[in-house]
Amino acid sequence: MPYQVIRRDLTETTRKCDFCPQYLTSLKAYVLKDLETGKLSYAGPTCAKNNAGEGSTSGIPDLTKFTLSKNHREGGSPGGGGGASEVDPEKIAIEYLVLRECKLVEELNCSYSVLKKYYEKYSTQRLSESDIRHINNIAAKAPDNLSRAVLQRIYNYLFWIDVAVEKLPVGKTDFLVGVRKTIIAKGKISEKQASSINKCLENIDGVPQLK
């Protein structure tokens, strides 16, 4: 197959699959890499399997664990789904690299030179077992605000806050803009903030509730 599924990521309901005319209404898409050109494409589960092969969507890095599906408005645990894939060292290491060295690097200024080199390597080739162990050791010793779970949560919240701000009329965005700045400044989200954000998001079309 010419494609490889590299992760599961967030997407808006207005985005179409890159392989068919269907909208990606689940809010969660599979990111496929063209193995010849390196180009990234977004797809639903069926198109991902059709282009990357059966089983290609299992055990991949998942950056969506704090976003509830469109039809699930509450409940769920902060850690997302469990199972064997949750303890896959390579999966965990890649999630941490992508969050810290790509998704949140500008907002949180969280880049670390050692991890940056690993991310650059990951962008062009597969990480070795020793690379993966080193990355996970760094993650395990990181302060709480740079843990994988906290970074996952911040990524999901900032993504949907940004989507909500774009959808809201001028003059209705002050709370979300303010809480976004607080999240970035403090590097964490309190349970009270999470509850307040969800109350603000619950009536915005195409925006889900968050864990």
Side-chain angles (χ1 to χ4, degrees):
M1 289 288 180
Y3 290 94
Q4 177 187 359
V5 180
I6 61 172
R7 68 175 181 271
R8 197 178 187 206
D9 211 337
L10 300 173
T11 185
E12 295 182 59
T13 56
T14 54
R15 181 162 189 165
K16 286 185 178 180
C17 174
D18 289 323
F19 298 95
C20 77
Q22 297 296 318
Y23 285 96
L24 299 171
T25 56
S26 71
L27 311 175
K28 302 174 181 183
Y30 293 97
V31 181
L32 279 67
K33 181 178 182 178
D34 187 313
L35 296 178
E36 294 182 357
T37 67
K39 180 182 177 182
L40 300 183
S41 303
Y42 279 64
T46 300
C47 285
K49 291 176 184 176
N50 287 345
N51 287 277
E54 196 66 34
S56 59
T57 59
S58 299
I60 58 170
D62 186 354
L63 305 185
T64 73
K65 296 172 187 173
F66 286 85
T67 293
L68 294 172
S69 65
K70 191 173 67 170
N71 297 319
H72 187 176
R73 305 296 290 178
E74 58 185 60
S77 61
S85 64
E86 189 62 22
V87 294
D88 180 339
E90 183 176 13
K91 172 180 176 290
I92 291 170
I94 292 172
E95 286 178 0
Y96 194 69
L97 272 185
V98 173
L99 286 165
R100 190 163 171 182
E101 295 297 330
C102 177
K103 296 294 185 178
L104 296 170
V105 65
E106 292 184 6
E107 283 92 345
L108 301 185
N109 192 27
C110 56
S111 183
Y112 174 43
S113 58
V114 177
L115 292 176
K116 183 178 181 180
K117 289 180 181 178
Y118 282 133
Y119 181 73
E120 290 169 350
K121 179 179 180 179
Y122 162 71
S123 299
T124 59
Q125 58 186 291
R126 186 158 188 170
L127 298 170
S128 69
E129 289 186 10
S130 62
D131 295 339
I132 291 165
R133 281 196 301 271
H134 193 195
I135 293 164
N136 286 332
N137 284 337
I138 291 171
K141 295 175 182 178
D144 289 344
N145 65 310
L146 291 176
S147 70
R148 185 171 61 107
V150 168
L151 295 180
Q152 284 265 21
R153 192 178 205 194
I154 289 175
Y155 172 58
N156 281 241
Y157 273 72
L158 293 184
F159 181 94
W160 290 112
I161 285 172
D162 288 345
V163 172
V165 167
E166 289 184 5
K167 290 176 177 287
L168 287 172
V170 176
K172 298 279 188 178
T173 63
D174 289 353
F175 168 73
L176 288 177
V177 170
V179 78
R180 189 188 196 282
K181 290 179 179 177
T182 301
I183 291 170
I184 292 172
K186 295 188 175 181
K188 61 181 180 179
I189 303 168
S190 69
E191 293 302 320
K192 184 177 180 180
Q193 283 176 324
S195 177
S196 298
I197 292 167
N198 271 328
K199 286 180 181 178
C200 190
L201 299 182
E202 64 183 353
N203 294 318
I204 302 175
D205 184 48
V207 178
Q209 292 288 276
L210 304 168
K211 296 178 184 177

